[in-house]
Amino acid sequence: MQDSQLALDPLPVHVAVIMDGNGRWAKERNRPRLFGHKAGVDSVREVVETAHEVGIRHLTLYAFSTENWRRPSLEVKGLMTLLKTYLGGEVANMLKNGIRLDCFGQKDRLPKDVREVLDQTIADTASCDSMRLNLALSYGSRTELIAAIQKIGQQCADGELDPAAIDEQLFSNYLYSSGQPDPDLMIRTSGEQRLSNFLLWQLSYAELYFTETKWPDFRGPQLLEALQVFAKRQRRFGRTGEQAETK
């Protein structure tokens, strides 16, 4: 790990991941889609562990989108069962490693039993401060943005907020990610190269990393490889290369 650590400078503070390819991974093996999702849970465990080990402070995993509710009911039910099992089985490790769980998305749309376990895990880990693990569940960025605009608009209409006071920081405070830094690095597995309604506001200046590796095969070494690529990128934020180098 020490050799890998040397190549990870600078390290992103916040990494966001679109975990893609479970179904295609299973199809390649002539197995049902749920088989791929189960294998994907093992990748979640290893990626979370590796991220924690190297010092990632915030990790956001796109686990279930608002669009995913359109999938066959049997698959959705299986995914919810896997989520509940994962949370119940990982809370001890989260507490041991100081990992705080949070949720981005419409928790009210989740099944009651899943929501109860999720809320309990969030409460149990609320004081952990080594790493923040955000699960994007029933999440859609456009829905998130509209909800933020509606809240701001209502406060303006009620006279509680001056429209002239609205800036980027204030707007960010109305998002699920309020209080957390925007992602420095976004990883998407399985070869697709699109954002799929994921953190559209927060990813404005993130470095994007796409890999052909499907999520069940994306483990610790693959995460380290992505972090090494990130370390070689020059982040300019509108400046020239020379200005960035002399920052």
Side-chain angles (χ1 to χ4, degrees):
M1 183 66 71
Q2 288 184 348
D3 291 340
S4 297
Q5 198 86 18
L6 293 174
L8 301 181
D9 183 25
L11 189 72
V13 175
H14 188 168
V15 176
V17 185
I18 299 177
M19 305 180 294
D20 195 14
N22 290 342
R24 279 166 284 170
W25 184 89
K27 185 176 180 180
E28 290 172 354
R29 289 157 178 77
N30 296 315
R31 302 296 297 272
R33 292 178 58 85
L34 199 57
F35 177 76
H37 293 311
K38 290 178 180 178
V41 172
D42 294 331
S43 290
V44 169
R45 291 192 180 97
E46 188 165 332
V47 165
V48 170
E49 179 181 350
T50 301
H52 177 262
E53 286 179 357
V54 302
I56 300 297
R57 296 289 296 170
H58 300 260
L59 177 65
T60 300
L61 304 179
Y62 202 5
F64 192 86
S65 73
T66 51
E67 292 78 16
N68 287 155
W69 291 112
R70 303 170 185 167
R71 292 189 175 186
S73 59
L74 187 61
E75 181 176 351
V76 171
K77 183 177 180 180
L79 285 167
M80 292 297 117
T81 299
L82 286 174
L83 172 60
K84 180 180 177 182
T85 302
Y86 169 78
L87 292 171
E90 290 300 307
V91 63
N93 285 332
M94 291 180 191
L95 292 170
K96 176 183 176 181
N97 294 310
I99 299 175
R100 177 179 173 180
L101 182 71
D102 204 347
C103 174
F104 293 175
Q106 302 166 319
K107 287 196 299 180
D108 58 300
R109 294 188 66 182
L110 300 175
K112 183 174 182 292
D113 59 330
V114 175
R115 190 168 64 249
E116 288 175 348
V117 174
L118 175 63
D119 286 340
Q120 187 62 55
T121 305
I122 290 173
D124 289 344
T125 61
S127 62
C128 294
D129 60 4
S130 179
M131 186 177 85
R132 182 81 70 95
L133 173 61
N134 306 302
L135 295 182
L137 297 166
S138 190
Y139 174 85
S141 187
R142 290 184 173 184
T143 300
E144 176 186 26
L145 293 172
I146 290 171
I149 292 168
Q150 289 173 336
K151 291 177 184 177
I152 291 172
Q154 188 61 57
Q155 289 190 347
C156 289
D158 293 341
E160 300 173 2
L161 180 64
D162 180 358
I166 301 172
D167 58 16
E168 291 184 12
Q169 183 55 59
L170 184 143
F171 187 81
S172 294
N173 292 337
Y174 287 80
L175 302 178
Y176 293 124
S177 55
S178 176
Q180 299 190 54
D182 290 340
D184 305 292
L185 171 65
M186 192 285 291
I187 299 169
R188 180 166 188 155
T189 60
S190 194
E192 303 293 347
Q193 298 187 24
R194 55 179 177 270
L195 295 181
S196 296
N197 201 17
F198 182 51
L199 300 177
L200 300 180
W201 174 274
Q202 297 91 332
L203 290 177
S204 293
Y205 279 101
E207 295 296 316
L208 307 181
Y209 177 87
F210 301 104
T211 174
E212 295 291 332
T213 303
K214 296 177 179 62
W215 180 247
D217 291 327
F218 192 93
R219 302 296 174 98
Q222 287 73 32
L223 175 61
L224 292 177
E225 182 178 350
L227 296 177
Q228 288 166 348
V229 170
F230 173 85
K232 297 175 182 177
R233 302 266 181 98
Q234 185 185 64
R235 308 187 74 202
R236 296 190 292 274
F237 299 100
R239 301 186 301 266
T240 66
E242 291 77 10
Q243 287 175 312
E245 289 174 358
T246 58
K247 180 183 176 183

